[in-house]
Amino acid sequence: MKISFLIHNAYGIGGTITTTFNLAAALAERHDVEIVSVLRHREHPNLTPHPGVRLRALVDLRREKDHPLHGRPARVFPAAEYRHHQYSELTDERIAECLADTDADVVVGTRPGLNVHLALQAPEHVARVGQEHLTLDNHPPALRAALRRAYRRLDALTTVTEADADSYRRKMLLPGVRVEALPNSVPDPELPTADGTAKVVVAAGRLVPVKRFDLIIEAFARVAAEYPDWRLRIYGKGEEQDRLRALIESLGLWNNVFLMGAATPMEAEWVKGSIGAAASNFEPFGMTLVEAMRCGLPVVSTDCPYGPGEIIKDGEDGRLVPVGDGAAFGAALLDLVRDDERRRRMGEAAVANARRFAPGPVVAHAERLLLEAIEARSGGQRGAPGRPGTHHTLVSRGHAARDLARAAASTALRTVRKGRR
């Protein structure tokens, strides 16, 4: 089958880009696969596409940043979508042309705004699969309202956790749309897994407030006080870098905590550690958790919505602690630092349990879903899972009404604030 992935900017860095490249590479072993990047801002992508995956861009910002149409706001891409300010009449036009001309059997959208384009503009013969890499509850009410209207024209919708799939089934009335959880996959490690002897804790991700690297640093201060020969390495870049560096200095941890910058791929860095750490307030999935576990590291993580609780088995291959609880996080780290045998045993369990996120099972699931979407679309049946019951319909309509009311209230508030300026 011919598969086309529609992505925001394949030339950047982030979890959605990584998992899209991973899935596309695995599917390219047996299928004709392309990645269409709406935007492009540099010559080469940060990640190298599989040789069998074609990569092309619709709007090259290096040359078209000042295009007259790019100065006008997008009309198709939802205004309530987080990335709306980066879209324009030019992207509207190019995406529409791309979809109209596609010879793919199935097009896969990778964010809500692109899923709306896909639902509204793909030709009738093309199967339409939307992906959700965040969560339904994380979207503002106005966006949820827009998605309800558009998503009914999708064939399938995938989420990265079962919890979010359940939210879509309960809160969105999408008759005929198959909603399934499809977790992100992590490639099979190429290096020997960590053996648990290195006195190093590793954390990675964007240096932004929601990731709470400050909490990890403060928690690690307890480890350094008792075990000064242990180190914390933080990989990533972002707006919090200067604040985190100041925190390290204020705690006197300049010999124990290091901001390492971004590293791609991370495998060679994970295997140098013995414990992984993640302290997010919110995590739609938790790609770094799986990466660390596949490299043999037990992970200490906050039990935030939604992903960590579906990835880590508390006490078996890692530890889950309450969100924002630095004392509990520090205690969990210390438990693993103090007990060499437990750390080694949990690292082995992490490798075994994380195999469910290997490309094999995830790609097989994706392949089946895409084929069934194509067959349903060509047969004129779509993936209807059966008529929703009365209770389900009433619950969904209740959520829809609340979202519309909240969206209207938010619009009214913005109007009032503008009038006061």
Side-chain angles (χ1 to χ4, degrees):
M1 58 182 162
K2 290 187 176 181
I3 306 163
S4 179
F5 288 89
L6 185 61
I7 192 169
H8 168 65
N9 189 340
Y11 294 80
I13 192 168
T16 299
I17 300 168
T18 301
T19 193
T20 300
F21 274 54
N22 289 346
L23 181 56
L27 289 169
E29 297 293 337
R30 293 183 296 278
H31 305 284
D32 185 350
V33 182
E34 70 168 357
I35 295 175
V36 178
S37 180
V38 176
L39 300 177
R40 177 180 185 173
H41 69 291
R42 56 185 296 175
E43 181 66 22
H44 301 291
N46 282 287
L47 300 178
T48 303
H50 181 280
V53 175
R54 298 183 306 282
L55 174 62
R56 61 189 176 99
L58 302 181
V59 175
D60 191 334
L61 296 176
R62 296 172 301 169
R63 297 189 296 269
E64 299 181 291
K65 184 178 180 180
D66 297 323
H67 191 291
L69 291 181
H70 198 53
R72 302 175 188 171
R75 297 181 180 181
V76 179
F77 196 94
E81 224 268 38
Y82 169 66
R83 296 281 187 184
H84 181 263
H85 66 285
Q86 294 178 265
Y87 285 73
S88 63
E89 285 191 14
L90 182 61
T91 59
D92 278 355
E93 181 180 279
R94 297 282 174 83
I95 295 171
E97 291 172 352
C98 170
L99 291 172
D101 295 339
T102 187
D103 62 350
D105 298 304
V106 56
V107 178
V108 182
T110 57
R111 64 177 306 112
L114 299 180
N115 294 340
V116 169
H117 271 281
L118 177 59
L120 299 178
Q121 297 177 323
E124 284 300 316
H125 66 276
V126 174
R128 310 159 185 188
V129 176
Q131 289 184 340
E132 174 61 87
H133 289 279
L134 292 175
T135 67
L136 178 63
D137 290 343
N138 188 241
H139 297 321
L143 179 57
R144 290 197 294 263
L147 300 186
R148 280 190 182 89
R149 292 190 296 268
Y151 275 16
R152 296 184 182 194
R153 300 179 66 174
L154 293 174
D155 296 289
L157 176 69
T158 68
T159 63
V160 290
T161 63
E162 290 288 353
D164 196 40
D166 183 61
S167 288
Y168 268 96
R169 296 184 193 111
R170 288 186 297 106
K171 299 177 181 180
M172 305 280 275
L173 192 58
L174 303 173
V177 181
R178 176 174 301 185
V179 179
E180 290 190 19
L182 179 69
N184 294 331
S185 71
V186 172
D188 295 321
E190 296 182 1
L191 300 173
T193 56
D195 60 10
T197 60
K199 297 179 179 182
V200 177
V201 177
V202 181
R206 291 178 297 116
L207 305 185
V208 293
V210 72
K211 299 294 186 180
R212 293 305 310 271
F213 285 104
D214 59 328
L215 187 143
I216 297 177
I217 293 169
E218 290 167 354
F220 186 79
R222 298 184 58 185
V223 175
E226 191 170 331
Y227 296 89
D229 54 343
W230 273 74
R231 303 289 183 263
L232 168 63
R233 296 175 182 168
I234 298 174
Y235 292 86
K237 59 183 180 180
E239 63 192 69
E240 288 277 277
Q241 183 168 316
D242 291 342
R243 192 174 79 86
L244 295 176
R245 182 173 287 110
L247 177 61
I248 292 167
E249 293 179 0
S250 71
L251 294 174
L253 295 174
W254 47 80
N255 289 326
N256 297 90
V257 181
F258 303 92
L259 300 180
M260 307 295 291
T264 304
M266 266 294 296
E267 182 184 345
E269 310 309 324
W270 289 122
V271 299
K272 295 174 186 174
S274 290
I275 302 170
S280 296
N281 290 336
F282 169 78
E283 195 67 71
F285 179 66
M287 194 75 155
T288 57
L289 277 63
V290 179
E291 289 178 352
M293 292 169 68
R294 296 217 71 198
C295 289
L297 276 63
V299 179
V300 176
S301 172
T302 46
D303 191 14
C304 62
Y306 281 75
E310 293 189 17
I311 296 171
I312 296 172
K313 295 182 180 179
D314 188 30
E316 181 177 328
D317 53 24
R319 293 293 312 278
L320 294 170
V321 301
V323 173
D325 192 334
F329 204 101
L333 285 175
L334 275 171
D335 284 346
L336 291 177
V337 167
R338 289 169 178 157
D339 193 334
D340 294 346
E341 175 56 26
R342 186 183 188 198
R343 190 169 68 246
R344 183 195 62 77
R345 186 174 63 250
M346 291 178 73
E348 291 178 352
V351 173
N353 292 345
R355 286 197 184 106
R356 68 191 188 276
F357 301 109
V362 174
V363 172
H365 184 180
E367 195 171 39
R368 173 186 58 78
L369 189 145
L370 296 179
L371 282 169
E372 291 177 357
I374 292 169
E375 291 170 358
R377 170 65 60 169
S378 62
Q381 297 178 357
R382 300 176 69 224
R387 188 168 184 164
T390 302
H391 175 71
H392 186 175
T393 300
L394 291 174
V395 169
S396 298
R397 286 177 177 170
H399 283 286
R402 283 192 289 274
D403 283 343
L404 286 172
R406 289 168 182 163
S410 178
T411 300
L413 182 60
R414 286 197 301 270
T415 302
V416 170
R417 285 174 175 170
K418 285 182 179 178
R420 291 175 177 172
R421 290 175 185 171

PDB file of all heavy atoms in Angstrom, residues 79-109:
ATOM      1  N   ALA A  79      -8.384  27.649  14.348  1.00  0.00           N
ATOM      2  CA  ALA A  79      -7.818  28.797  15.051  1.00  0.00           C
ATOM      3  C   ALA A  79      -7.427  28.460  16.482  1.00  0.00           C
ATOM      4  O   ALA A  79      -6.518  29.069  17.046  1.00  0.00           O
ATOM      5  CB  ALA A  79      -8.811  29.959  15.040  1.00  0.00           C
ATOM      6  N   ALA A  80      -8.112  27.477  17.078  1.00  0.00           N
ATOM      7  CA  ALA A  80      -7.837  27.116  18.469  1.00  0.00           C
ATOM      8  C   ALA A  80      -6.676  26.144  18.611  1.00  0.00           C
ATOM      9  O   ALA A  80      -6.281  25.819  19.733  1.00  0.00           O
ATOM     10  CB  ALA A  80      -9.089  26.507  19.105  1.00  0.00           C
ATOM     11  N   GLU A  81      -6.116  25.684  17.477  1.00  0.00           N
ATOM     12  CA  GLU A  81      -4.989  24.751  17.524  1.00  0.00           C
ATOM     13  C   GLU A  81      -3.724  25.506  17.909  1.00  0.00           C
ATOM     14  O   GLU A  81      -3.478  26.618  17.453  1.00  0.00           O
ATOM     15  CB  GLU A  81      -4.814  24.084  16.146  1.00  0.00           C
ATOM     16  CG  GLU A  81      -4.569  22.584  16.204  1.00  0.00           C
ATOM     17  CD  GLU A  81      -3.099  22.215  16.247  1.00  0.00           C
ATOM     18  OE1 GLU A  81      -2.341  22.931  16.917  1.00  0.00           O
ATOM     19  OE2 GLU A  81      -2.733  21.211  15.613  1.00  0.00           O
ATOM     20  N   TYR A  82      -2.916  24.871  18.745  1.00  0.00           N
ATOM     21  CA  TYR A  82      -1.700  25.480  19.300  1.00  0.00           C
ATOM     22  C   TYR A  82      -0.779  26.082  18.235  1.00  0.00           C
ATOM     23  O   TYR A  82      -0.170  27.131  18.432  1.00  0.00           O
ATOM     24  CB  TYR A  82      -0.955  24.411  20.110  1.00  0.00           C
ATOM     25  CG  TYR A  82       0.439  24.777  20.530  1.00  0.00           C
ATOM     26  CD1 TYR A  82       0.673  25.813  21.432  1.00  0.00           C
ATOM     27  CD2 TYR A  82       1.544  24.078  20.026  1.00  0.00           C
ATOM     28  CE1 TYR A  82       1.958  26.151  21.819  1.00  0.00           C
ATOM     29  CE2 TYR A  82       2.831  24.414  20.416  1.00  0.00           C
ATOM     30  CZ  TYR A  82       3.037  25.434  21.310  1.00  0.00           C
ATOM     31  OH  TYR A  82       4.310  25.767  21.680  1.00  0.00           O
ATOM     32  N   ARG A  83      -0.688  25.436  17.077  1.00  0.00           N
ATOM     33  CA  ARG A  83       0.247  25.876  16.042  1.00  0.00           C
ATOM     34  C   ARG A  83      -0.381  26.830  15.018  1.00  0.00           C
ATOM     35  O   ARG A  83       0.255  27.149  14.005  1.00  0.00           O
ATOM     36  CB  ARG A  83       0.798  24.654  15.288  1.00  0.00           C
ATOM     37  CG  ARG A  83       1.629  23.714  16.135  1.00  0.00           C
ATOM     38  CD  ARG A  83       3.021  24.240  16.330  1.00  0.00           C
ATOM     39  NE  ARG A  83       3.891  23.276  16.994  1.00  0.00           N
ATOM     40  CZ  ARG A  83       5.140  23.526  17.354  1.00  0.00           C
ATOM     41  NH1 ARG A  83       5.663  24.707  17.099  1.00  0.00           N
ATOM     42  NH2 ARG A  83       5.871  22.610  17.958  1.00  0.00           N
ATOM     43  N   HIS A  84      -1.588  27.294  15.257  1.00  0.00           N
ATOM     44  CA  HIS A  84      -2.300  28.086  14.248  1.00  0.00           C
ATOM     45  C   HIS A  84      -1.494  29.287  13.765  1.00  0.00           C
ATOM     46  O   HIS A  84      -1.532  29.639  12.577  1.00  0.00           O
ATOM     47  CB  HIS A  84      -3.650  28.556  14.778  1.00  0.00           C
ATOM     48  CG  HIS A  84      -4.438  29.359  13.793  1.00  0.00           C
ATOM     49  ND1 HIS A  84      -4.449  30.749  13.794  1.00  0.00           N
ATOM     50  CD2 HIS A  84      -5.213  28.984  12.748  1.00  0.00           C
ATOM     51  CE1 HIS A  84      -5.206  31.184  12.798  1.00  0.00           C
ATOM     52  NE2 HIS A  84      -5.685  30.141  12.148  1.00  0.00           N
ATOM     53  N   HIS A  85      -0.745  29.916  14.657  1.00  0.00           N
ATOM     54  CA  HIS A  85       0.012  31.117  14.272  1.00  0.00           C
ATOM     55  C   HIS A  85       1.093  30.813  13.238  1.00  0.00           C
ATOM     56  O   HIS A  85       1.592  31.728  12.578  1.00  0.00           O
ATOM     57  CB  HIS A  85       0.647  31.760  15.510  1.00  0.00           C
ATOM     58  CG  HIS A  85       1.702  30.922  16.163  1.00  0.00           C
ATOM     59  ND1 HIS A  85       1.394  29.816  16.931  1.00  0.00           N
ATOM     60  CD2 HIS A  85       3.059  31.016  16.146  1.00  0.00           C
ATOM     61  CE1 HIS A  85       2.523  29.267  17.371  1.00  0.00           C
ATOM     62  NE2 HIS A  85       3.539  29.962  16.909  1.00  0.00           N
ATOM     63  N   GLN A  86       1.454  29.546  13.081  1.00  0.00           N
ATOM     64  CA  GLN A  86       2.471  29.180  12.093  1.00  0.00           C
ATOM     65  C   GLN A  86       1.853  28.787  10.746  1.00  0.00           C
ATOM     66  O   GLN A  86       2.582  28.527   9.790  1.00  0.00           O
ATOM     67  CB  GLN A  86       3.323  28.025  12.629  1.00  0.00           C
ATOM     68  CG  GLN A  86       4.167  28.411  13.838  1.00  0.00           C
ATOM     69  CD  GLN A  86       4.958  27.232  14.369  1.00  0.00           C
ATOM     70  OE1 GLN A  86       4.534  26.550  15.294  1.00  0.00           O
ATOM     71  NE2 GLN A  86       6.104  26.982  13.778  1.00  0.00           N
ATOM     72  N   TYR A  87       0.539  28.760  10.701  1.00  0.00           N
ATOM     73  CA  TYR A  87      -0.162  28.386   9.471  1.00  0.00           C
ATOM     74  C   TYR A  87      -0.775  29.617   8.831  1.00  0.00           C
ATOM     75  O   TYR A  87      -0.904  30.675   9.449  1.00  0.00           O
ATOM     76  CB  TYR A  87      -1.209  27.311   9.767  1.00  0.00           C
ATOM     77  CG  TYR A  87      -0.564  25.954   9.989  1.00  0.00           C
ATOM     78  CD1 TYR A  87       0.140  25.684  11.155  1.00  0.00           C
ATOM     79  CD2 TYR A  87      -0.609  24.966   9.009  1.00  0.00           C
ATOM     80  CE1 TYR A  87       0.772  24.468  11.352  1.00  0.00           C
ATOM     81  CE2 TYR A  87       0.012  23.742   9.193  1.00  0.00           C
ATOM     82  CZ  TYR A  87       0.697  23.505  10.366  1.00  0.00           C
ATOM     83  OH  TYR A  87       1.335  22.302  10.540  1.00  0.00           O
ATOM     84  N   SER A  88      -1.155  29.493   7.566  1.00  0.00           N
ATOM     85  CA  SER A  88      -1.565  30.662   6.797  1.00  0.00           C
ATOM     86  C   SER A  88      -2.423  30.239   5.614  1.00  0.00           C
ATOM     87  O   SER A  88      -2.666  29.045   5.391  1.00  0.00           O
ATOM     88  CB  SER A  88      -0.323  31.390   6.279  1.00  0.00           C
ATOM     89  OG  SER A  88       0.399  30.532   5.379  1.00  0.00           O
ATOM     90  N   GLU A  89      -2.849  31.220   4.843  1.00  0.00           N
ATOM     91  CA  GLU A  89      -3.562  30.894   3.605  1.00  0.00           C
ATOM     92  C   GLU A  89      -2.650  30.119   2.655  1.00  0.00           C
ATOM     93  O   GLU A  89      -3.121  29.292   1.869  1.00  0.00           O
ATOM     94  CB  GLU A  89      -4.060  32.180   2.926  1.00  0.00           C
ATOM     95  CG  GLU A  89      -5.274  32.799   3.609  1.00  0.00           C
ATOM     96  CD  GLU A  89      -5.890  33.902   2.759  1.00  0.00           C
ATOM     97  OE1 GLU A  89      -5.547  34.003   1.561  1.00  0.00           O
ATOM     98  OE2 GLU A  89      -6.730  34.657   3.290  1.00  0.00           O
ATOM     99  N   LEU A  90      -1.348  30.363   2.756  1.00  0.00           N
ATOM    100  CA  LEU A  90      -0.409  29.625   1.911  1.00  0.00           C
ATOM    101  C   LEU A  90      -0.378  28.150   2.295  1.00  0.00           C
ATOM    102  O   LEU A  90      -0.420  27.276   1.420  1.00  0.00           O
ATOM    103  CB  LEU A  90       0.994  30.224   2.020  1.00  0.00           C
ATOM    104  CG  LEU A  90       2.070  29.564   1.146  1.00  0.00           C
ATOM    105  CD1 LEU A  90       1.714  29.692  -0.334  1.00  0.00           C
ATOM    106  CD2 LEU A  90       3.443  30.171   1.434  1.00  0.00           C
ATOM    107  N   THR A  91      -0.318  27.853   3.593  1.00  0.00           N
ATOM    108  CA  THR A  91      -0.321  26.444   4.007  1.00  0.00           C
ATOM    109  C   THR A  91      -1.672  25.805   3.703  1.00  0.00           C
ATOM    110  O   THR A  91      -1.735  24.643   3.293  1.00  0.00           O
ATOM    111  CB  THR A  91       0.015  26.295   5.504  1.00  0.00           C
ATOM    112  OG1 THR A  91      -0.927  27.015   6.295  1.00  0.00           O
ATOM    113  CG2 THR A  91       1.430  26.789   5.795  1.00  0.00           C
ATOM    114  N   ASP A  92      -2.756  26.564   3.887  1.00  0.00           N
ATOM    115  CA  ASP A  92      -4.082  26.055   3.509  1.00  0.00           C
ATOM    116  C   ASP A  92      -4.079  25.602   2.050  1.00  0.00           C
ATOM    117  O   ASP A  92      -4.546  24.505   1.709  1.00  0.00           O
ATOM    118  CB  ASP A  92      -5.157  27.144   3.687  1.00  0.00           C
ATOM    119  CG  ASP A  92      -5.655  27.276   5.123  1.00  0.00           C
ATOM    120  OD1 ASP A  92      -5.249  26.462   5.976  1.00  0.00           O
ATOM    121  OD2 ASP A  92      -6.460  28.184   5.371  1.00  0.00           O
ATOM    122  N   GLU A  93      -3.546  26.456   1.205  1.00  0.00           N
ATOM    123  CA  GLU A  93      -3.541  26.204  -0.241  1.00  0.00           C
ATOM    124  C   GLU A  93      -2.660  25.003  -0.587  1.00  0.00           C
ATOM    125  O   GLU A  93      -3.073  24.116  -1.349  1.00  0.00           O
ATOM    126  CB  GLU A  93      -3.036  27.453  -0.963  1.00  0.00           C
ATOM    127  CG  GLU A  93      -3.006  27.352  -2.474  1.00  0.00           C
ATOM    128  CD  GLU A  93      -2.494  28.641  -3.100  1.00  0.00           C
ATOM    129  OE1 GLU A  93      -3.281  29.594  -3.240  1.00  0.00           O
ATOM    130  OE2 GLU A  93      -1.280  28.691  -3.422  1.00  0.00           O
ATOM    131  N   ARG A  94      -1.452  24.947  -0.016  1.00  0.00           N
ATOM    132  CA  ARG A  94      -0.525  23.869  -0.353  1.00  0.00           C
ATOM    133  C   ARG A  94      -1.004  22.517   0.176  1.00  0.00           C
ATOM    134  O   ARG A  94      -0.849  21.489  -0.487  1.00  0.00           O
ATOM    135  CB  ARG A  94       0.863  24.200   0.218  1.00  0.00           C
ATOM    136  CG  ARG A  94       1.490  25.468  -0.372  1.00  0.00           C
ATOM    137  CD  ARG A  94       2.074  25.265  -1.756  1.00  0.00           C
ATOM    138  NE  ARG A  94       2.526  26.518  -2.344  1.00  0.00           N
ATOM    139  CZ  ARG A  94       3.711  27.086  -2.108  1.00  0.00           C
ATOM    140  NH1 ARG A  94       4.585  26.518  -1.280  1.00  0.00           N
ATOM    141  NH2 ARG A  94       4.036  28.227  -2.707  1.00  0.00           N
ATOM    142  N   ILE A  95      -1.572  22.515   1.365  1.00  0.00           N
ATOM    143  CA  ILE A  95      -2.077  21.247   1.914  1.00  0.00           C
ATOM    144  C   ILE A  95      -3.238  20.738   1.072  1.00  0.00           C
ATOM    145  O   ILE A  95      -3.330  19.547   0.756  1.00  0.00           O
ATOM    146  CB  ILE A  95      -2.507  21.417   3.389  1.00  0.00           C
ATOM    147  CG1 ILE A  95      -1.297  21.749   4.268  1.00  0.00           C
ATOM    148  CG2 ILE A  95      -3.175  20.133   3.900  1.00  0.00           C
ATOM    149  CD1 ILE A  95      -1.654  22.153   5.685  1.00  0.00           C
ATOM    150  N   ALA A  96      -4.142  21.651   0.687  1.00  0.00           N
ATOM    151  CA  ALA A  96      -5.284  21.264  -0.143  1.00  0.00           C
ATOM    152  C   ALA A  96      -4.813  20.679  -1.469  1.00  0.00           C
ATOM    153  O   ALA A  96      -5.330  19.649  -1.937  1.00  0.00           O
ATOM    154  CB  ALA A  96      -6.197  22.465  -0.377  1.00  0.00           C
ATOM    155  N   GLU A  97      -3.819  21.324  -2.083  1.00  0.00           N
ATOM    156  CA  GLU A  97      -3.282  20.823  -3.355  1.00  0.00           C
ATOM    157  C   GLU A  97      -2.624  19.457  -3.175  1.00  0.00           C
ATOM    158  O   GLU A  97      -2.785  18.563  -4.003  1.00  0.00           O
ATOM    159  CB  GLU A  97      -2.261  21.823  -3.918  1.00  0.00           C
ATOM    160  CG  GLU A  97      -2.874  23.137  -4.388  1.00  0.00           C
ATOM    161  CD  GLU A  97      -1.802  24.170  -4.749  1.00  0.00           C
ATOM    162  OE1 GLU A  97      -0.608  23.894  -4.472  1.00  0.00           O
ATOM    163  OE2 GLU A  97      -2.155  25.235  -5.290  1.00  0.00           O
ATOM    164  N   CYS A  98      -1.889  19.303  -2.091  1.00  0.00           N
ATOM    165  CA  CYS A  98      -1.208  18.038  -1.815  1.00  0.00           C
ATOM    166  C   CYS A  98      -2.211  16.902  -1.667  1.00  0.00           C
ATOM    167  O   CYS A  98      -2.033  15.815  -2.242  1.00  0.00           O
ATOM    168  CB  CYS A  98      -0.371  18.178  -0.539  1.00  0.00           C
ATOM    169  SG  CYS A  98       0.297  16.635   0.094  1.00  0.00           S
ATOM    170  N   LEU A  99      -3.263  17.149  -0.922  1.00  0.00           N
ATOM    171  CA  LEU A  99      -4.266  16.106  -0.707  1.00  0.00           C
ATOM    172  C   LEU A  99      -5.030  15.808  -1.997  1.00  0.00           C
ATOM    173  O   LEU A  99      -5.328  14.642  -2.304  1.00  0.00           O
ATOM    174  CB  LEU A  99      -5.231  16.529   0.406  1.00  0.00           C
ATOM    175  CG  LEU A  99      -4.616  16.575   1.816  1.00  0.00           C
ATOM    176  CD1 LEU A  99      -5.603  17.185   2.807  1.00  0.00           C
ATOM    177  CD2 LEU A  99      -4.210  15.177   2.280  1.00  0.00           C
ATOM    178  N   ALA A 100      -5.347  16.838  -2.758  1.00  0.00           N
ATOM    179  CA  ALA A 100      -6.087  16.626  -4.007  1.00  0.00           C
ATOM    180  C   ALA A 100      -5.291  15.799  -5.004  1.00  0.00           C
ATOM    181  O   ALA A 100      -5.857  15.007  -5.766  1.00  0.00           O
ATOM    182  CB  ALA A 100      -6.466  17.973  -4.626  1.00  0.00           C
ATOM    183  N   ASP A 101      -3.953  15.958  -4.974  1.00  0.00           N
ATOM    184  CA  ASP A 101      -3.102  15.285  -5.951  1.00  0.00           C
ATOM    185  C   ASP A 101      -2.527  13.955  -5.468  1.00  0.00           C
ATOM    186  O   ASP A 101      -1.844  13.274  -6.230  1.00  0.00           O
ATOM    187  CB  ASP A 101      -1.936  16.205  -6.344  1.00  0.00           C
ATOM    188  CG  ASP A 101      -2.401  17.459  -7.062  1.00  0.00           C
ATOM    189  OD1 ASP A 101      -3.526  17.445  -7.611  1.00  0.00           O
ATOM    190  OD2 ASP A 101      -1.653  18.468  -7.058  1.00  0.00           O
ATOM    191  N   THR A 102      -2.771  13.589  -4.232  1.00  0.00           N
ATOM    192  CA  THR A 102      -2.113  12.402  -3.686  1.00  0.00           C
ATOM    193  C   THR A 102      -2.554  11.122  -4.394  1.00  0.00           C
ATOM    194  O   THR A 102      -3.712  10.977  -4.777  1.00  0.00           O
ATOM    195  CB  THR A 102      -2.373  12.269  -2.172  1.00  0.00           C
ATOM    196  OG1 THR A 102      -1.587  11.184  -1.661  1.00  0.00           O
ATOM    197  CG2 THR A 102      -3.842  11.980  -1.871  1.00  0.00           C
ATOM    198  N   ASP A 103      -1.586  10.222  -4.562  1.00  0.00           N
ATOM    199  CA  ASP A 103      -1.906   8.895  -5.095  1.00  0.00           C
ATOM    200  C   ASP A 103      -1.785   7.844  -3.998  1.00  0.00           C
ATOM    201  O   ASP A 103      -1.742   6.646  -4.263  1.00  0.00           O
ATOM    202  CB  ASP A 103      -0.992   8.548  -6.269  1.00  0.00           C
ATOM    203  CG  ASP A 103       0.481   8.482  -5.868  1.00  0.00           C
ATOM    204  OD1 ASP A 103       0.809   8.888  -4.727  1.00  0.00           O
ATOM    205  OD2 ASP A 103       1.303   8.035  -6.692  1.00  0.00           O
ATOM    206  N   ALA A 104      -1.732   8.296  -2.741  1.00  0.00           N
ATOM    207  CA  ALA A 104      -1.628   7.375  -1.612  1.00  0.00           C
ATOM    208  C   ALA A 104      -2.951   6.642  -1.402  1.00  0.00           C
ATOM    209  O   ALA A 104      -4.030   7.162  -1.695  1.00  0.00           O
ATOM    210  CB  ALA A 104      -1.247   8.137  -0.346  1.00  0.00           C
ATOM    211  N   ASP A 105      -2.842   5.437  -0.872  1.00  0.00           N
ATOM    212  CA  ASP A 105      -4.042   4.691  -0.477  1.00  0.00           C
ATOM    213  C   ASP A 105      -4.582   5.206   0.849  1.00  0.00           C
ATOM    214  O   ASP A 105      -5.784   5.177   1.097  1.00  0.00           O
ATOM    215  CB  ASP A 105      -3.712   3.196  -0.341  1.00  0.00           C
ATOM    216  CG  ASP A 105      -3.241   2.596  -1.647  1.00  0.00           C
ATOM    217  OD1 ASP A 105      -3.973   2.694  -2.638  1.00  0.00           O
ATOM    218  OD2 ASP A 105      -2.123   2.030  -1.677  1.00  0.00           O
ATOM    219  N   VAL A 106      -3.669   5.664   1.702  1.00  0.00           N
ATOM    220  CA  VAL A 106      -4.062   6.171   3.016  1.00  0.00           C
ATOM    221  C   VAL A 106      -3.144   7.322   3.392  1.00  0.00           C
ATOM    222  O   VAL A 106      -1.938   7.282   3.144  1.00  0.00           O
ATOM    223  CB  VAL A 106      -4.003   5.057   4.092  1.00  0.00           C
ATOM    224  CG1 VAL A 106      -2.622   4.418   4.163  1.00  0.00           C
ATOM    225  CG2 VAL A 106      -4.430   5.572   5.457  1.00  0.00           C
ATOM    226  N   VAL A 107      -3.736   8.376   3.942  1.00  0.00           N
ATOM    227  CA  VAL A 107      -2.977   9.512   4.449  1.00  0.00           C
ATOM    228  C   VAL A 107      -3.151   9.546   5.965  1.00  0.00           C
ATOM    229  O   VAL A 107      -4.264   9.394   6.475  1.00  0.00           O
ATOM    230  CB  VAL A 107      -3.435  10.843   3.833  1.00  0.00           C
ATOM    231  CG1 VAL A 107      -2.643  12.012   4.435  1.00  0.00           C
ATOM    232  CG2 VAL A 107      -3.255  10.819   2.317  1.00  0.00           C
ATOM    233  N   VAL A 108      -2.037   9.740   6.663  1.00  0.00           N
ATOM    234  CA  VAL A 108      -2.038   9.759   8.121  1.00  0.00           C
ATOM    235  C   VAL A 108      -1.687  11.162   8.601  1.00  0.00           C
ATOM    236  O   VAL A 108      -0.590  11.670   8.334  1.00  0.00           O
ATOM    237  CB  VAL A 108      -1.017   8.743   8.692  1.00  0.00           C
ATOM    238  CG1 VAL A 108      -1.070   8.746  10.227  1.00  0.00           C
ATOM    239  CG2 VAL A 108      -1.274   7.347   8.144  1.00  0.00           C
ATOM    240  N   GLY A 109      -2.619  11.821   9.275  1.00  0.00           N
ATOM    241  CA  GLY A 109      -2.359  13.125   9.875  1.00  0.00           C
ATOM    242  C   GLY A 109      -1.727  12.938  11.238  1.00  0.00           C
ATOM    243  O   GLY A 109      -2.021  11.967  11.938  1.00  0.00           O
TER     244      GLY A 109
END
